[in-house]
Amino acid sequence: MLTALALTLPAAGCGTAAGTQSPAAAPVSVPSPAPSLTLGGASAAAATSAVPPQPPTSPSAKAATSATASPSAEASEAAEESTTQAVARSDGRGGPVPFTPGKAMLGSYLALGGKSLSQSLSLRRGQLDREQRIVHRFYPWQGYIPTSEPDVSKKSVLLASWHGAPLGGINNGSSDANIRSVARKLKAMKRPILLRWGWEMNGDWFEWSGPKNGGPANYVKAYRRIHRIFGEVGADNIAWVWSPNWNSSPNSSANKVQKYYPGDDYVDWVGISGYNFYGESPATLFNPITKIYGGRKPIILTETAAVKGKAAWIKQLGAWVNKTSAVGAVVWFDTDVQHDSDHNFRFDTDSSALAAYRGMARSSRFAG
């Protein structure tokens, strides 16, 4: 079923559509390269249920993103030193996927070349001596969406990234039947699900983005409509993940990330997409949004990976999570087959990177 999807939808998750690292211009999640995936052994029937590809990255877009969207290294380090994260309260936050203060769940989007999901999970289990606490899957707006994920252990939490669509067709009610159908299917899984709909909306690479749909207000309206319909269907196993890119594109006052926030009543977890395409530190990528929302909602890094200096960056990531109490989950974008990207996001590309990731995975902070 979904164990071998070929991801070919437009714009997935690791970047922006034009190569700015806000996810990046491809499916990663910043105007930088956003990855779109093709899983090994995917069947034709499941091909549409993959991660959307990111828009190709142009040198000019990359330069613009790096220069205007990401904070300077100096400002980033200052923020890292001066920002005090609110201590997460044990007040039931996280909805059906509860947040445990002091413990972060660690998981992955897994699409390893030549391997099914089951085989990929087995490989990572052997390398890390632990299960994936979160398994990330991408589903299309319309088309094949399963009512079960047999390869995802009941001990793991399913993170479902559900593609968006042009917002006009959502807000005018013409998509209500599709939304109800998806709500019923996810409800039928009878397991807690982290649902990330319409991610990286503050970038300009996806068809559901604010910049392509008249601004943030239309995104908020669509998000709330979908939330309401899921409630009417009784899909009470859904933990809602609102997941912007770490920086916005365009980087303007009208496109500030705060303008896309649907409200505390509609969000259980705040997600962030961010990769070190231009050498950004974890603090640069994740401090700004964590500072805004970390005192109100648990933070999940829904898409992240290193593409350069992997071992050192993984150690930095572990150190950042250790001192950022609001973080309740980290999800690695673990693939070497992302369409429209020549990056290898796997953490086992060399022995030092694998050792660093293994050390992070086995630390007490990641025992969630």
Side-chain angles (χ1 to χ4, degrees):
M1 307 262 252
L2 271 193
T3 58
L5 294 181
L7 308 182
T8 57
L9 302 185
C14 73
T16 69
T20 32
Q21 176 164 345
S22 317
V28 177
S29 34
V30 201
S32 14
S36 79
L37 321 168
T38 301
L39 305 188
S43 67
T48 57
S49 155
V51 178
Q54 305 173 293
T57 316
S58 68
S60 60
K62 285 184 177 180
T65 306
S66 179
T68 63
S70 43
S72 68
E74 183 177 350
S76 167
E77 293 308 317
E80 185 172 7
E81 292 301 322
S82 63
T83 300
T84 54
Q85 309 296 350
V87 175
R89 295 160 296 163
S90 180
D91 57 2
R93 292 188 301 162
V97 180
F99 166 64
T100 303
K103 302 294 182 183
M105 295 180 286
L106 181 63
S108 296
Y109 165 74
L110 273 165
L112 306 182
K115 294 184 182 297
S116 67
L117 176 59
S118 178
Q119 291 168 337
S120 297
L121 288 167
S122 177
L123 172 64
R124 293 299 185 238
R125 186 183 305 117
Q127 290 173 322
L128 304 176
D129 294 329
R130 58 169 291 170
E131 295 287 347
Q132 300 289 320
R133 278 291 286 122
I134 295 175
V135 177
H136 189 186
R137 308 295 281 154
F138 284 84
Y139 301 140
W141 172 247
Q142 290 181 306
Y144 173 72
I145 295 180
T147 54
S148 67
E149 284 283 13
D151 289 321
V152 180
S153 166
K154 289 297 184 181
K155 296 179 181 179
S156 300
V157 174
L158 175 64
L159 168 60
S161 283
W162 180 28
H163 284 260
L167 302 180
I170 298 174
N171 289 330
N172 66 13
S174 61
S175 296
D176 285 3
N178 179 57
I179 296 167
R180 287 194 184 91
S181 174
V182 174
R184 292 188 184 106
K185 288 178 179 179
L186 296 184
K187 176 185 177 181
M189 287 196 184
K190 297 180 180 179
R191 64 185 303 159
I193 296 174
L194 288 160
L195 178 62
R196 184 177 74 142
W197 172 78
W199 61 96
E200 298 167 18
M201 73 301 294
N202 58 325
D204 54 9
W205 43 95
F206 289 130
E207 60 180 347
W208 57 83
S209 70
K212 290 187 176 181
N213 289 272
N218 288 328
Y219 177 85
V220 170
K221 183 178 180 181
Y223 188 106
R224 290 177 175 176
R225 185 182 193 93
I226 292 170
H227 189 284
R228 173 177 59 77
I229 293 172
F230 268 65
E232 292 170 355
V233 169
D236 56 6
N237 59 322
I238 300 300
W240 292 84
V241 182
W242 175 73
S243 186
N245 192 59
W246 75 274
N247 62 355
S248 297
S249 180
N251 185 18
S252 64
S253 59
N255 198 47
K256 281 187 175 181
V257 68
Q258 296 95 318
K259 294 180 181 290
Y260 290 93
Y261 189 63
D264 287 351
D265 290 343
Y266 300 87
V267 174
D268 295 306
W269 290 75
V270 168
I272 312 171
S273 294
Y275 301 69
N276 76 338
F277 290 118
Y278 307 104
E280 299 90 344
S281 69
T284 295
L285 295 173
F286 308 126
N287 267 357
I289 291 175
T290 299
K291 183 177 180 180
I292 297 169
Y293 299 105
R296 298 149 62 182
K297 299 292 177 178
I299 301 295
I300 173 174
L301 307 188
T302 45
E303 282 188 39
T304 193
V307 298
K308 56 180 72 173
K310 289 186 180 181
W313 196 84
I314 290 168
K315 291 176 182 177
Q316 290 176 15
L317 176 64
W320 180 82
V321 172
N322 276 334
K323 67 179 182 180
T324 309
S325 60
V327 177
V330 174
V331 184
W332 195 264
F333 200 75
D334 192 1
T335 181
D336 52 2
V337 291
Q338 175 69 21
H339 286 303
D340 299 329
S341 174
D342 58 2
H343 292 302
N344 185 333
F345 299 95
R346 293 173 62 153
F347 57 75
D348 60 351
T349 50
D350 61 76
S351 59
S352 60
L354 174 58
Y357 195 91
R358 178 182 169 89
M360 181 176 74
R362 299 185 72 185
S363 69
S364 59
R365 180 67 173 92
F366 286 90

